[in-house]
Amino acid sequence: MNDSLQQLGLPPEALPRHVAIVMDGNGRWAQAQGKSRTVGHARGAEAVLPIVAECARLGVQAVSLYALSTENLLRRPDDEVGALMGLYEQYLVSERQQLLDNNLRFRHIGRREGMPQAVLAELDRNTETTRDNTGMQLALALNYGSRQEITDAVRNIANQVKTSNLSPDAVDEQLIENHLYTAGMPEPDLLIRTAGEQRISNFLLWQISYAEIWVTDTLWPDFDVAVLHRALLDFARRRRNFGAAPTAPGGVVT
Ligand code: IPE
Ligand code: IPE
Ligand code: MG
């Protein structure tokens, strides 16, 4: 058994396969410090790597990070969006070596349209550079919206029905999943949201059907490994039924 898990008192079967995180609260963090929202976003970016590295160390198979929603892109002021794009570009370059050192497989989830070419180029470069890694999968959600993802999947499937002989009767849950941006990732067992809001904000709506939701008041720039451990320990105590009659407490049902 993984020593780190043992130290935490977590049996391996109680570890989520996929942890999805809504990284919220950068603005409130900045406001509380009397700083600009951009400073909050920069601090938020710095909080990411230790969490990702710890998940990989513990043996989590996949992490997805909600960094920018489609609605953020459309509805936030141009200067905030511009500053965020600059940070993503910088961060994607500066963390590239860490992706390799941690044996992570990187992917972007979200729509490419509307994203600056410079950010897309770095996303592609990270995806390409980490393609043959064998460790944890890391999905960065940028210009991501779950309704848009499902719409794109439906559109692709409809096209296949029209042009490649796909029978409508062949459309089942597995086929739909294969057309989502997250194809090939296990579905999230644990959804963490920071900064206290009790909502999903258009993140992974299909995929989180049976995810356990864990909300903390901690603002994303203050989220550290200790808070992550609390979430994981709490998750391990949850009893998941998946619609069945209740069984023994804890852990992932496989
Ligand atoms: C999350 O922090 C990051 C993005 C949505 C880009 P916010 O910017 O939403 O922070 P709050 O909610 O205003 O505190
Ligand atoms: C969700 O946070 C998106 C990200 C954290 C990237 P928001 O701050 O956009 O969510 P709402 O608008 O408060 O629901
Ligand atoms: Mg917010």
Side-chain angles (χ1 to χ4, degrees):
M1 171 169 159
N2 184 323
D3 284 351
S4 333
L5 282 180
Q6 205 155 28
Q7 277 162 18
L8 263 182
L10 268 182
E13 65 277 10
L15 189 68
R17 285 161 301 186
H18 176 169
V19 179
I21 309 181
V22 180
M23 307 184 294
D24 196 16
N26 294 349
R28 276 162 281 177
W29 184 92
Q31 194 174 28
Q33 314 277 323
K35 303 210 161 94
S36 71
R37 293 180 63 83
T38 307
V39 173
H41 293 315
R43 286 299 292 265
E46 282 171 31
V48 170
L49 187 67
I51 300 306
V52 168
E54 179 64 2
C55 287
R57 200 174 72 94
L58 291 172
V60 172
Q61 294 173 29
V63 166
S64 50
L65 301 172
Y66 203 9
L68 189 80
S69 69
T70 305
E71 292 74 23
N72 294 147
L73 185 62
L74 292 172
R75 298 187 182 144
R76 297 218 179 179
D78 288 349
D79 59 345
E80 182 173 351
V81 170
L84 279 165
M85 292 300 171
L87 278 171
Y88 302 139
E89 192 185 335
Q90 204 184 319
Y91 171 83
L92 288 162
V93 175
S94 66
E95 305 303 350
R96 186 166 294 138
Q97 190 56 45
Q98 304 286 344
L99 296 176
L100 291 168
D101 293 347
N102 285 284
N103 193 23
L104 304 180
R105 244 177 316 156
F106 178 89
R107 76 168 80 172
H108 165 230
I109 56 173
R111 278 196 181 153
R112 294 174 70 89
E113 301 85 65
M115 296 278 291
Q117 207 47 52
V119 177
L120 290 174
E122 301 308 339
L123 287 167
D124 291 345
R125 182 132 183 241
N126 284 5
T127 306
E128 196 49 48
T129 316
T130 63
R131 185 176 297 282
D132 296 328
N133 284 353
T134 53
M136 193 180 82
Q137 301 196 60
L138 176 65
L140 185 66
L142 282 183
N143 192 14
Y144 175 88
S146 187
R147 288 183 172 183
Q148 294 82 345
E149 176 184 37
I150 293 168
T151 304
D152 287 350
V154 170
R155 198 178 287 150
N156 286 336
I157 292 168
N159 267 320
Q160 283 187 17
V161 168
K162 194 172 163 203
T163 59
S164 15
N165 253 336
L166 177 70
S167 158
D169 292 334
V171 179
D172 57 11
E173 290 186 15
Q174 188 59 53
L175 186 90
I176 293 171
E177 266 171 35
N178 293 346
H179 284 82
L180 297 177
Y181 307 148
T182 51
M185 297 176 80
E187 69 184 46
D189 294 307
L190 172 63
L191 174 78
I192 295 174
R193 180 157 186 154
T194 61
E197 309 302 343
Q198 313 257 346
R199 56 178 175 257
I200 304 299
S201 303
N202 205 12
F203 195 40
L204 303 176
L205 299 178
W206 170 287
Q207 297 90 332
I208 60 167
S209 295
Y210 274 102
E212 294 294 321
I213 299 176
W214 194 83
V215 176
T216 174
D217 285 334
T218 304
L219 305 173
W220 175 253
D222 292 327
F223 192 92
D224 60 12
V225 165
V227 189
L228 173 71
H229 289 168
R230 272 204 278 131
L232 294 175
L233 288 166
D234 198 33
F235 170 79
R237 285 192 293 269
R238 303 271 182 102
R239 193 179 64 196
R240 305 177 77 195
N241 297 329
F242 298 92
T247 53
V252 177
V253 176
T254 49

